[in-house]
Amino acid sequence: ILAAGDIAILGFQSDNPDKFAFIALTNILGGTEIKFTDNGWTDDNNLSSNEGTLTWIVPSEGINKGTIITVTSDGTNWTVTQGTISSSGSPAFATAGDQIIVYQGSSSSPTLIYAFSSSPWLTTGEISSKTSYLPTGLTNGTTAHCFASKYNNGYYTNEKIIEINVFLIIIKYEDLN
């Protein structure tokens, strides 16, 4: 089981093709299942269930800390650069805003690992398929990140250095639009 901050989203693309990249910030054993969902986090501390979830299975040889994985959709199927991936529901990134919440376990009782939003986290009101609250137990700026305003595509550059599990990652969102 992974802990909060063991994975970080490095890049996000909602313009076709949908794509994201993440980095392992710890060694991950082969066969480990990790879920990535575009379902939002509600104001009553639950994942919504109106979108979709990708389940990634780490390759049998495992993943070393520092490995970057890219996940891409062709509009129908999702592919991954290492391991295998399957989908349930309809995961797809909206250009008007979306999120990726990384977790293990069930959606009704998730172990939260990381969260990313292509627009600011909500602080009041109802979520939509394009918005989310910051998931409970994650901290914006370390185990979660969001764009300051809505962007379709972005990636990390070198504005802020954060130490996570004795592995340095350089973080700043850069708009690709």
Side-chain angles (χ1 to χ4, degrees):
I1 295 179
L2 300 178
D6 282 349
I7 286 177
I9 303 293
L10 294 177
F12 173 85
Q13 179 172 305
S14 63
D15 291 337
N16 289 331
D18 285 359
K19 181 187 286 191
F20 67 97
F22 64 93
I23 187 169
L25 297 173
T26 190
N27 296 328
I28 304 175
L29 296 175
T32 301
E33 283 190 8
I34 302 168
K35 297 177 180 172
F36 299 82
T37 186
D38 61 341
N39 285 313
W41 190 257
T42 66
D43 60 349
D44 61 352
N45 297 318
N46 291 297
L47 279 169
S48 68
S49 59
N50 60 332
E51 295 189 77
T53 301
L54 299 168
T55 301
W56 177 58
I57 300 175
V58 176
S60 60
E61 66 274 12
I63 294 290
N64 292 323
K65 176 171 50 174
T67 302
I68 296 172
I69 306 294
T70 302
V71 182
T72 307
S73 173
D74 65 6
T76 304
N77 298 303
W78 288 85
T79 59
V80 64
T81 53
Q82 293 186 46
T84 60
I85 199 153
S86 61
S87 65
S88 61
S90 301
F93 303 140
T95 57
D98 224 322
Q99 58 281 326
I100 301 173
I101 298 175
V102 184
Y103 68 97
Q104 287 186 289
S106 70
S107 61
S108 61
S109 182
T111 298
L112 298 167
I113 299 168
Y114 188 85
F116 164 80
S117 180
S118 65
S119 58
W121 301 112
L122 286 183
T123 56
T124 62
E126 293 291 317
I127 68 166
S128 70
S129 62
K130 300 168 184 66
T131 60
S132 177
Y133 281 86
L134 173 65
T136 306
L138 299 181
T139 303
N140 198 49
T142 56
T143 56
H145 287 88
C146 68
F147 290 147
S149 59
K150 190 211 60 81
Y151 290 113
N152 297 356
N153 311 300
Y155 63 94
Y156 290 121
T157 61
N158 62 356
E159 182 174 284
K160 183 176 179 183
I161 298 176
I162 297 174
E163 185 174 341
I164 300 176
N165 293 336
V166 193
F167 184 86
L168 292 179
I169 181 169
I170 300 171
I171 298 179
K172 176 188 174 219
Y173 289 110
E174 183 71 31
D175 179 26
L176 295 176
N177 295 327

